[in-house]
Amino acid sequence: MLACLRAQPDATLAEIGQALVAAGGPSLQRTAVWQAVERLGWGRKKKRPRR
């Protein structure tokens, strides 16, 4: 999964899950992908402040 994140740091959770399956990994639900991404220390992008 870390290789998938490094290859596409802007990828959505769905795209990360698809890349993981394409690389021969397990098929995971979006929540499981998010939990794994979070455990690896990869955060999400900050939202721009509203005016």
Side-chain angles (χ1 to χ4, degrees):
M1 180 173 288
L2 190 54
C4 295
L5 289 170
R6 287 184 177 152
Q8 293 183 323
D10 294 0
T12 64
L13 294 175
E15 291 170 340
I16 294 167
Q18 290 171 355
L20 186 60
V21 170
S27 176
L28 302 174
Q29 292 182 354
R30 188 172 14 147
T31 304
V33 173
W34 171 245
Q35 290 171 346
V37 167
E38 201 171 42
R39 282 187 201 122
L40 290 172
W42 284 70
R44 58 182 167 171
K45 292 181 182 180
K46 293 183 180 179
K47 293 182 179 179
R48 295 189 340 176
R50 295 184 182 189
R51 292 183 182 202

